[in-house]
């Protein structure tokens, strides 16, 4: 029986069964005895325009399905009202747990209150949901370290630093530009902070120069992480700050989709081939970008193994369904504005061309053929 139905019944039997449960609030609705086939997990994903979220959705669905649970998986087309409506529907249809990757981390408080009222535990998936006490658990990667890794990859690409962190031979000065993700995504801030903490000493000592002068996240953020938005901003930067024959040497990009937009703008302006392409970073190891790295066009990406993230989401969901508390490995970093949300954070890996085989192909994430084609089969 679903948590919602249980909550609505409000019978003496319910009161007794609730009293026997371990905790209070969400997660203590008493599904412990239910068979997986009687339980539904609502999975709300932001968009299908980025392949990473398709991989996440598929992996979570498959893993829950393999354990016999019913899965209600919805994509919101990067539209905030659509996501709110989909989550509302999951609640009315009787979801027993919700796994949500929010489009706007601050826009779901109403839905989360309804979930809490119906005793449905909520797991924030990869993106923290903010300004609500009703987020029960967070599964993600170490997002600050993603930013550190992106900035380090930029330094390595420029030759300022070696892969092992030691000092490189290049001294600059290098012209760089900075990009950040969508301001309404909590992760965008973690990525940017990690990156800026790493780049700051090199900006301060003159090794790196942000020629446009745009160094604040509000100046460099790209709404909804859109490729076209990044392409447009890069075009504008080239026109406004590089019309004096100076060259861009590096671009900090926090996501492969943005990197492809940036690279397109650079290519259209004559970079590439004999005119050295600037060092452009990335994130997510999207197949089109892995091919670009393999072809020497994009410098690097940060690989976040969505299979492992899906595993953690499933482990957390099962814990809640069994009236247990999922195991956190971080209970201090992710304050959502109301409380610190217990989190399980996974490590990340930097992929330059040399790491494509050992990290992506040998682990079965992609085949060599997929990398060569720049397209994944499924
Ligand atoms: C995710 C990144 C992703 C970005 C754009 C972030 O919240 O953590 O992996 O690149 O959203 O989809």
């Amino acid at each position: 029986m679903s948590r919602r139905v249980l909550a609505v019944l409000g019978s003496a039997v319910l009161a007794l069964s609730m009293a026997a449960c371990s905790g209070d609030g969400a997660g203590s609705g008493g599904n412990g005895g239910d068979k997986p086939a009687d339980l539904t997990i609502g999975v709300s994903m932001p968009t299908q325009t980025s392949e990473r979220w398709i991989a996440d959705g598929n992996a979570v669905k498959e893993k829950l399905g393999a354990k016999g649970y019913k899965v209600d998986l919805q994509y919101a087309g990067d539209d905030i009202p659509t996501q709110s409506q989909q989550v509302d529907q999951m609640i009315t249809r009787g979801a027993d747990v919700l796994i949500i990757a929010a489009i706007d981390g601050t826009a779901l408080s109403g839905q989360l209150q309804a979930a809490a009222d119906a005793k449905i535990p909520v797991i924030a998936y990869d993106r923290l949901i903010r300004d609500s006490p009703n987020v029960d658990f967070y599964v993600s990667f170490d997002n600050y370290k993603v930013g550190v890794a992106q900035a380090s990859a930029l330094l390595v690409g420029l030759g300022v630093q070696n892969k092992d962190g030691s000092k490189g031979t290049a001294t600059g000065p290098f012209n760089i530009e900075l990009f950040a993700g969508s301001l309404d995504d909590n992760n965008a801030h973690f990525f940017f902070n990690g990156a800026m903490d790493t780049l700051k000493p090199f900006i301060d000592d003159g090794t790196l120069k942000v020629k446009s002068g745009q160094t604040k996240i509000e100046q460099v953020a790209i709404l909804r992480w859109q490729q076209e938005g990044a392409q447009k901003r890069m075009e504008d930067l080239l026109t406004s700050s590089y019309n004096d024959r100076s060259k861009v040497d590096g671009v900090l990009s926090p996501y492969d989709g943005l990197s492809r937009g940036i690279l397109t703008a650079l290519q259209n302006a004559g970079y590439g081939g004999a005119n050295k392409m600037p060092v452009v970073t990335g994130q997510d190891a999207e197949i089109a970008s892995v091919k670009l790295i393999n072809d020497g066009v994009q410098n690097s990406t940060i690989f976040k193994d969505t299979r492992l993230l899906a595993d953690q989401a499933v482990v957390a969901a099962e814990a809640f369904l069994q009236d247990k508390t999922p195991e956190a490995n971080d209970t201090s970093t992710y304050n959502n504005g109301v409380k610190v949300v217990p989190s399980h954070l996974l490590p990340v890996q930097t992929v330059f061309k040399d790491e494509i085989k050992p990290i992506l192909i040998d682990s079965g994430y992609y085949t060599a053929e997929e990398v060569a084609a720049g397209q994944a089969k499924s």
Side-chain angles (χ1 to χ4, degrees), residues 250-274:
V251 182
L252 174 83
S253 166
Y255 157 54
D256 286 344
L258 301 188
S259 313
R260 292 195 296 275
I262 292 162
L263 287 165
T264 303
L266 290 166
Q267 269 158 349
N268 290 346
Y271 285 88

Side-chain angles (χ1 to χ4, degrees), residues 47 50 52-53 126-127 143 185 187-188 191 225 254-256 283-284 304:
T47 178
S50 151
R52 93 141 271 199
W53 298 112
D126 198 48
R127 296 175 172 175
N143 294 305
D185 180 347
N187 289 349
F191 301 151
W225 302 88
Y255 157 54
D256 286 344
Q283 173 172 205
D284 289 342
K304 308 199 300 192

Side-chain angles (χ1 to χ4, degrees), residues 5-22:
V5 176
L6 280 173
V8 171
L9 276 176
S11 66
V13 178
L14 171 62
L16 279 175
S17 81
M18 301 264 302
C21 293
S22 53

